[in-house]
Amino acid sequence: MTRDALHTTAAELVAHGKGILAADESNVTMAKRMGAVGATSTPQTRRRFRELLVTAPGIADAISGVILYDETIRQRASDGTPFPALLDRVGLIPGIKVDTGVKPLAGADGETVTEGLDGLRDRLAEYRALGARFAKWRAVLSIGAATPSHYCIAVNAHALARYAALCQEAGIVPVVEPEVLMDGCHTLDRCARVTERTLRAVVAELLGHRVDLEGIVLKPNMVLAGKTCPQQPGVDEVARRTLAVLERTVPAAVPGIAFLSGGQSDELAVAHLCAINAIGDAPWELTFSYGRALQAAALQAWPADEDAARAVFQDRARCTAQARRGIDREAVAA
C-alpha cells in the first residue's frame, strides 16, 4: 500500500457519519460474555454472532471498518466466503488486533506494558495477505495514587510507535490506542492531566519513529472521572474537557480520532460522543471505535432470537452514527 493509499484508508475509517466496530474480543472474553447470556462459545458460535452483526442490512451506512480477532480473520462465513472478503463485499474495511495483551511491567509494581512486537513484521505481512487494511494495538494505563508513572507512559508510548511504524511499512493503517482507564476514584481534573501527559508522549514517539500522522487513526479515552469518584461531571463538561486536551496534544495532521467507550454505559458513550461533535470546529474527524457499547444489547438478545439481535445492533449502530454527527437521538425521535 502506497503512502496515498494509507491516507485514503485512514480517511475512509473516519468518514463522516461512520465509526469502527471493535469485534476483536479474545476467545476467553467471548466465552465469558456468551456464557453470561446462556450461549455456548465455540469457533462456530463466535463466527455466527459476528457474521450476524456485519451482515445486518444497511450497516455500512454507520460502520466503516471492523477490527477482528486472529481467529475470525481466518474463518469463513456461512456461505464459505473468507471473513475479510465478506466484509469487503458488504462495504466494510477489514482490520485486525495485533497486540498480544498486557503483561506486568518490570520494575513498576502494578503497572503494565502491552506486548506483541516480537515477530510483528511477519504477522502483519500475513494479515495483509489475508485482507487486513488496518490494525489495532491497545496500551493500558491506570490512575492511582502514584500511577501512571513516567516510566510506564514512556514504555507504552514507545511500543505504540514501533507498532505503528511496522504497520505502515506493511501497508496497514495503525489504530493507535492509548487507554487511560476509568477504573478508580480519580477526579475529572486528574484524568485530564494524565490523558494529556500520555498523548504528548505518544505523539512525540510517533514523530520520533517517522510515523506518517496522516496515515493513522488515534483511539484515545474520553476525559472522564473515575467510576467511583463521588463527583461525576455532566455530559457537556466531559465533551469540553476532552476536546481541550486533544487540542493541546494532537496535531491536525491526524485525520481522525475514534474514541473508545472504555467501560461507559451504552447511553453515556453515545451521549458523550454526541456532545463532543456538537461543539464542532475540531481539526479532526471525531468518531467512535466501540465494542461492548455496540454489541452488548445484541448479544443479550441473540440466543433467543437472531432477528431481534440484528435489529438491536442496527439500532445501536444507527444512534451511535447519529451521535458521531452531533445529532441527539431524542431530537431525531421528536
Side-chain angles (χ1 to χ4, degrees):
M1 191 182 289
T2 66
R3 180 186 178 99
D4 287 345
L6 286 171
H7 295 177
T8 298
T9 297
E12 289 174 350
L13 285 169
V14 297
H16 189 64
K18 297 185 180 184
I20 299 168
L21 169 62
D24 59 329
E25 302 89 351
S26 70
N27 294 346
V28 172
T29 297
M30 281 302 288
K32 291 178 181 177
R33 293 182 183 175
M34 286 186 163
V37 299
T40 301
S41 179
T42 67
Q44 292 73 34
T45 57
R46 292 189 292 269
R47 188 271 304 157
R48 193 168 79 245
F49 176 69
R50 286 164 171 158
E51 183 176 346
L52 176 145
L53 300 181
V54 303
T55 58
I59 207 64
D61 294 335
I63 303 296
S64 58
V66 183
I67 308 171
L68 302 173
Y69 189 60
D70 179 81
E71 176 186 73
T72 316
I73 200 170
R74 301 176 189 280
Q75 289 180 319
R76 291 181 178 270
S78 55
D79 65 357
T81 304
F83 214 91
L86 171 68
L87 294 182
D88 283 331
R89 190 173 73 202
V90 298
L92 303 173
I93 302 173
I96 181 69
K97 172 188 173 179
V98 297
D99 69 70
T100 57
V102 299
K103 298 294 188 317
L105 177 60
D109 187 32
E111 297 192 280
T112 62
V113 61
T114 301
E115 296 187 346
L117 290 170
D118 288 349
L120 181 57
R121 177 179 275 115
D122 292 338
R123 286 188 287 124
L124 287 169
E126 181 184 13
Y127 287 138
R128 187 73 183 91
L130 287 169
R133 291 172 55 196
F134 73 104
K136 188 199 86 169
W137 178 291
R138 174 178 178 250
V140 181
L141 299 135
S142 298
I143 298 179
T147 60
S149 64
H150 174 77
Y151 168 44
C152 180
I153 292 174
V155 168
N156 278 287
H158 182 81
L160 279 167
R162 287 188 62 193
Y163 140 80
L166 286 166
C167 281
Q168 291 188 339
E169 176 189 82
I172 289 175
V173 170
V175 173
V176 177
E177 181 177 355
E179 179 179 4
V180 177
L181 298 175
M182 63 182 295
D183 298 332
C185 61
H186 54 271
T187 64
L188 186 73
D189 285 344
R190 182 80 193 285
C191 181
R193 291 194 297 272
V194 171
T195 301
E196 183 166 340
R197 284 173 53 207
T198 300
L199 290 177
R200 287 188 186 281
V202 169
V203 170
E205 287 286 353
L206 290 171
L207 293 172
H209 283 75
R210 303 178 180 178
V211 173
D212 179 0
L213 296 185
E214 293 179 68
I216 74 166
V217 173
L218 183 65
K219 183 177 177 177
N221 55 282
M222 297 175 187
V223 174
L224 302 164
K227 288 181 181 178
T228 57
C229 177
Q231 295 178 320
Q232 290 293 322
V235 168
D236 290 338
E237 186 175 5
V238 167
R240 288 194 299 270
R241 296 298 295 274
T242 298
L243 278 176
V245 167
L246 294 174
E247 287 167 353
R248 289 195 292 269
T249 55
V250 181
V254 174
I257 294 169
F259 293 104
L260 54 90
S261 53
Q264 301 176 70
S265 69
D266 299 358
E267 293 75 16
L268 270 181
V270 171
H272 286 144
L273 180 66
C274 183
I276 289 169
N277 276 282
I279 292 173
D281 297 324
W284 335 268
E285 294 289 338
L286 297 166
T287 186
F288 60 92
S289 179
Y290 290 173
R292 196 174 343 186
L294 287 172
Q295 299 180 66
L299 183 58
Q300 185 72 35
W302 177 62
D305 189 335
E306 289 198 353
D307 289 338
R310 186 181 294 108
V312 168
F313 176 68
Q314 288 172 303
D315 182 66
R316 295 305 309 167
R318 188 182 307 112
C319 74
T320 307
Q322 288 172 348
R324 183 255 182 277
R325 297 193 296 270
I327 301 172
D328 181 80
R329 182 185 181 126
E330 282 69 28
V332 172

